[in-house]
Each structure stands twice: as C-alpha cells, then as structure tokens.
Amino acid sequence: MPAIEPQTRFLLRGSALLIGLLILWWFALLGPMLFLLKGAAGGFLFIQETPSADWTLRVPLEKTLPATPQQPVARQIHSIGFDIPRSDAIAFTFSLPVYWAIMLAAPGVRRSLRPLLLGTALMSAIELILLLVFAQITARNVVAQLAGTEDAAGKWIRHVGEYLVVSVLPYVLPFIVALSLHRQLRGAIFPWGKEAEIPAPSVTGGRPERRRAKSQRS
C-alpha cells in the first residue's frame, strides 16, 4: 500500500478537525465569542443588542451634509447608526475555529501549542479589526446616500473593501497566520525549498571484485 503524502495527511486531519471544531463553535462557543467581540468593539463604537439578537451600531463620524432640495440647510453629523443582522456579526468569529483546525492538524501538536496560543490572540485582534473596518465602510455608505453626492470611484472602493472584509479575509487570514507562525507546517505544505536527498552511488565492490576474479584465474 503506497504511503500517504504529508500534504494529504494534513488535509485529511484538517478536514476532520474543521468539521468537529465548527460544530463545537456553533453550539457552544458562538455565544461567548460574540459577547467578547461586542465588548471589545464597544471600546471603539457603540453597540447595542436588539431583542431579536441583531446588533445596533453607532459609529463616530464627523461629517457635514451639504444642503439639498429636500434639506435646504447643511447638517453637521457626529455619528451614524445602523443595524446589522446577527448572521453578519457571526461572520467575524468564524476565523478562529478555522485557525484552530489548521494548527491542530499541523505536524507536532505539542510544538504547535505556542503558535496556537499566539495565533489565537492575533486572530481575535484581526476579527475585531475586520468588524471595525466593516462598520466604517457601512457608515460611509450611509453618509454617501444621505449626502446624495456619491461618486462612482468611492462607491467602487467601498464595495471592494466590504467584499474583502466579509467574504475573503475571514477565510484567507487563518491560513496566512498559521503558515507565518508554524515553521514545520510551512515545510510540510511547501516542501519545494527542501533539497531532495539523492543517495550517492555506491563505488565499492566493482574494481576489487574484478581484481579478485583476475587473481583467481591466474
């Protein structure tokens, strides 16, 4: 039976661990993680939970809205408030179980303990930053709609930023952080930098055997 390559073993272990950790995250860890995330983000913006478990966010933002035909007097705003569904808030806790699955699937679990703890703290900070960036983008979208002077370039930049924050970075960053902190994991997934061990050809036994054969004939 052919041996399973290290990359294949990592994928199999990682897939099984990811399924198990996502189940644990959904049924046991999601509530505490949302509570901690809301508490950490509360130091930068106002967050209140609605009776339906959605979040009401109020982002500090100093802007002057120009006068419009509907509002003939310019207005000064100091913050923007909006609601986000609980499902959108959950997306900012998804990266942690993915990171745990990657690190626990890495070779040498005991040696992965320090990168696991360090990466957990780093991923928690990253998820907080992603939530704050998402809040800023959403608030600026609201301001642009209220002002009625939204330019195409600004709208496109905010759309790309929101797409990256919500749909790309939460899935990519756990792998980047894991590969950055775990050297053995990098070597197992990307073995191209390793020099292939080529056995040296055996040079013994050729000429001495021929010499012994000649001596026997003589």
Side-chain angles (χ1 to χ4, degrees):
M1 182 177 178
I4 302 178
E5 295 182 356
Q7 294 88 343
T8 305
R9 288 199 300 268
F10 170 75
L11 288 175
L12 292 175
R13 288 196 306 267
S15 300
L17 284 167
L18 180 61
I19 293 173
L21 287 170
L22 286 179
I23 293 174
L24 178 65
W25 164 70
W26 184 261
F27 290 102
L29 301 178
L30 183 56
M33 291 172 70
L34 283 173
F35 176 79
L36 293 175
L37 179 63
K38 183 175 67 174
F44 303 91
L45 46 86
F46 173 80
I47 301 180
Q48 186 177 10
E49 191 169 342
T50 65
S52 60
D54 296 335
W55 286 8
T56 297
L57 276 65
R58 183 162 292 277
V59 181
L61 192 64
E62 297 290 337
K63 288 287 184 180
T64 300
L65 298 180
T68 61
Q70 295 78 16
Q71 190 74 30
V73 179
R75 292 175 293 166
Q76 181 72 30
I77 60 173
H78 305 283
S79 63
I80 292 292
F82 55 90
D83 294 338
I84 63 171
R86 187 172 186 268
S87 58
D88 290 348
I90 287 174
F92 296 101
T93 65
F94 175 79
S95 298
L96 264 178
V98 175
Y99 176 78
W100 292 337
I102 296 170
M103 296 302 293
L104 293 176
V109 176
R110 292 182 179 178
R111 284 173 289 183
S112 305
L113 183 59
R114 185 171 179 272
L116 176 65
L117 297 177
L118 179 60
T120 297
L122 182 58
M123 287 305 308
S124 300
I126 289 174
E127 289 181 333
L128 173 61
I129 293 172
L130 291 178
L131 174 61
L132 296 178
V133 172
F134 171 79
Q136 284 289 332
I137 293 174
T138 305
R140 293 178 187 278
N141 282 334
V142 173
V143 169
Q145 293 175 359
L146 293 175
T149 58
E150 186 173 20
D151 61 303
K155 182 178 180 180
W156 181 83
I157 291 174
R158 289 192 299 272
H159 176 73
V160 172
E162 183 177 358
Y163 174 76
L164 291 175
V165 166
V166 175
S167 303
V168 177
L169 295 179
Y171 304 92
V172 174
L173 288 177
F175 291 90
I176 296 177
V177 173
L179 292 174
S180 301
L181 297 178
H182 199 295
R183 182 181 303 176
Q184 191 173 357
L185 178 60
R186 289 198 305 269
I189 297 180
F190 305 112
W192 308 301
K194 298 180 178 180
E195 295 181 0
E197 297 181 0
I198 303 175
S202 177
V203 295
T204 61
R207 293 181 179 178
E209 288 179 357
R210 286 197 295 269
R211 289 176 181 175
R212 285 197 297 270
K214 290 181 180 180
S215 61
Q216 290 176 1
R217 292 177 184 176
S218 59

